[in-house]
Amino acid sequence: MIKLDDFSSFFVANWKLNGNFQFIDQFISKLSLPKDRSKCVVICPSSIHLDYISKHKIGFYVGSQNVSQHKEGAFTGEISAESLSDLNVSFCIVGHSERRQIFYEKDEDINLKSANLIANKLIPIVCVGETLEQKEKGITNQVLAKQLKASIPNSSNFGNTIIAYEPVWAIGTGLTPTIEEINNTHHFLKNHNPKFNNYKILYGGSVKSNNVKDIISLSNVDGALIGGASLNSDEFTKIIED
Ligand code: PGA
């Protein structure tokens, strides 16, 4: 398993349902990685491209966007944590809000998925985040604490799991919380329960080259999860550059 403490920050590209072999070849040939090797760069393509990108990667890590909550058996169409580990995949996004909202994933599923990943020495990147309605009701912290409590398995610790805070209303919208709000929410996530004091917590939701530096420099932010802006190799290079 990757030693998370070896890295100062994490930049995770979530390509969602985008990309093909030609796109991957072009992206890799144009991508320029940071000189600072303490920055951990992770690319999460669609499942069908995991093997190809694992074999062609240079200097970055590969992550999956999802995994089955089941270990094996009669679960047509599913992909197990063990299969991901066979492909040299090191990370896996779990509980992204698109999975929670469109595919009805529950905290309990996310908990099982994360436990399976940890058992197979992959790092789950567990996503939590409030909706706009929850934010407007002033219950963001309550919602996040509840999601974390239910979706982080007992086997999880700061050395084998990453948390990503992604406000649902900030994903793909160009909207972000203020810098102060991001830092305060990350501070809450790390401090509301001593278990989470040392966890790495990434921010996600409309991260771009023009806001990443302000976000990443916050004391409670350990990296970024990047969707739309990670599909352009020039923009992604600017996001990860020194
Ligand atoms: P975005 O997506 O950067 O396009 O807002 C982030 C995510 O969905 O992880």
Side-chain angles (χ1 to χ4, degrees):
M1 183 179 278
I2 301 232
K3 278 183 70 193
L4 297 182
D5 265 343
D6 286 349
F7 298 100
S8 60
S9 52
F10 297 81
F11 297 85
V12 181
N14 177 10
W15 282 358
K16 310 190 182 187
L17 192 53
N18 297 293
N20 55 32
F21 293 111
Q22 195 191 354
F23 169 84
I24 293 170
D25 288 344
Q26 279 172 3
F27 189 96
I28 292 179
S29 70
K30 288 178 73 190
L31 179 69
S32 170
L33 289 160
K35 286 186 206 72
D36 178 358
R37 306 305 292 164
S38 76
K39 287 185 173 183
C40 180
V41 177
V42 184
I43 295 186
C44 305
S46 75
S47 306
I48 207 82
H49 296 119
L50 283 169
D51 188 38
Y52 186 76
I53 204 163
S54 287
K55 287 178 178 145
H56 290 78
K57 70 175 165 26
I58 314 159
F60 60 83
Y61 295 91
V62 177
S64 175
Q65 298 172 16
N66 187 26
V67 67
S68 177
Q69 65 266 48
H70 303 289
K71 294 189 171 108
E72 62 178 353
F75 300 104
T76 303
E78 291 290 88
I79 296 176
S80 71
E82 194 182 345
S83 305
L84 292 178
S85 128
D86 281 349
L87 292 182
N88 289 321
V89 172
S90 311
F91 295 85
C92 181
I93 299 169
V94 201
H96 189 280
S97 64
E98 286 151 17
R99 302 248 17 124
R100 289 176 185 264
Q101 292 190 327
I102 306 168
F103 301 98
Y104 308 110
E105 269 185 25
K106 300 271 165 287
D107 288 330
E108 301 77 63
D109 305 319
I110 295 155
N111 189 306
L112 287 171
K113 290 175 181 214
S114 301
N116 286 343
L117 290 164
I118 292 167
N120 283 280
K121 304 206 177 330
L122 273 87
I123 311 266
I125 302 170
V126 180
C127 300
V128 292
E130 82 285 3
T131 61
L132 189 56
E133 197 188 343
Q134 290 164 334
K135 178 183 165 63
E136 284 168 351
K137 277 193 194 150
I139 56 169
T140 296
N141 288 354
Q142 261 167 274
V143 168
L144 299 178
K146 191 162 166 274
Q147 286 178 340
L148 273 191
K149 189 166 192 279
S151 48
I152 299 284
N154 289 337
S155 57
S156 164
N157 59 52
F158 66 86
N160 65 19
T161 304
I162 291 179
I163 294 166
Y165 168 53
E166 295 208 303
V168 178
W169 53 273
I171 296 175
T173 57
L175 303 171
T176 58
T178 65
I179 291 297
E180 201 187 0
E181 281 172 331
I182 294 175
N183 206 36
N184 288 345
T185 304
H186 281 233
H187 182 267
F188 170 79
L189 290 171
K190 288 193 190 213
N191 293 288
H192 75 289
N193 175 340
K195 178 178 167 73
F196 298 114
N197 284 172
N198 295 313
Y199 272 63
K200 307 276 187 201
I201 307 191
L202 317 185
Y203 169 77
S206 296
V207 173
K208 311 253 184 293
S209 61
N210 62 12
N211 61 15
V212 69
K213 298 275 182 303
D214 288 343
I215 295 171
I216 280 293
S217 60
L218 295 169
S219 56
N220 293 305
V221 175
D222 302 294
L225 180 49
I226 307 120
S230 73
L231 287 165
N232 180 307
S233 52
D234 292 338
E235 171 71 357
F236 189 59
T237 294
K238 277 194 208 150
I239 288 173
I240 61 180
E241 77 189 358
D242 300 305

